[in-house]
């Protein structure tokens, strides 16, 4: 997974990222948006438009961010 959407999305949930994604890999969940790692092409367009800086590359995650990676994996595993 190249990009992960973190906690700030839960408060904002603006969806700007969905509009700019060229491969439609971002889906809305019940409490935040999620990036599908199997579809994402790592272009970074979503990062540039996120108004709350909620999107990071996986290697930039802190230990506190790990639950958001797990949430994304669970979200797409259930589809």
């Amino acid at each position: 997974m190249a990009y992960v959407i973190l906690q700030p999305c839960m408060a904002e949930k603006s969806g700007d990222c969905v509009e700019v994604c060229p491969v439609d890999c971002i889906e809305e969940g019940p409490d935040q948006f999620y990036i599908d790692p199997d579809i994402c092409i790592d272009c970074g367009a979503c990062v540039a438009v996120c108004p709350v800086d909620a999107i990071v590359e996986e290697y930039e995650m802190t230990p506190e961010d790990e639950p958001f990676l797990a949430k994304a994996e669970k979200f797409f595993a259930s589809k």
Side-chain angles (χ1 to χ4, degrees), residues 6-14 31-32 52 54:
L6 305 176
Q7 191 279 330
C9 181
M10 295 174 74
E12 180 69 26
K13 207 173 174 187
S14 73
D31 61 347
Q32 71 175 82
V52 292

Side-chain angles (χ1 to χ4, degrees), residues 1 3-10 17 26-27 32-35 46 50 54-56 65 68-69 72:
M1 180 176 291
Y3 289 96
V4 179
I5 300 178
L6 305 176
Q7 191 279 330
C9 181
M10 295 174 74
C17 54
I26 303 173
E27 295 186 31
Q32 71 175 82
F33 287 94
Y34 297 99
I35 297 173
C46 57
C50 181
I55 305 171
V56 298
D65 298 332
F68 292 93
L69 176 58

Side-chain angles (χ1 to χ4, degrees), residues 52-74:
V52 292
D53 297 322
I55 305 171
V56 298
E57 288 189 79
E58 186 176 352
Y59 75 87
E60 295 176 325
M61 290 175 31
T62 65
E64 295 80 27
D65 298 332
E66 293 295 326
F68 292 93
L69 176 58
K71 279 179 66 176
E73 291 169 344
K74 183 177 178 181

Side-chain angles (χ1 to χ4, degrees), residues 15-49:
D16 294 359
C17 54
V18 176
E19 301 299 321
V20 300
C21 181
V23 294
D24 298 323
C25 72
I26 303 173
E27 295 186 31
E28 186 172 2
D31 61 347
Q32 71 175 82
F33 287 94
Y34 297 99
I35 297 173
D36 187 334
D38 294 331
I39 300 173
C40 181
I41 59 171
D42 305 332
C43 70
C46 57
V47 176
V49 299

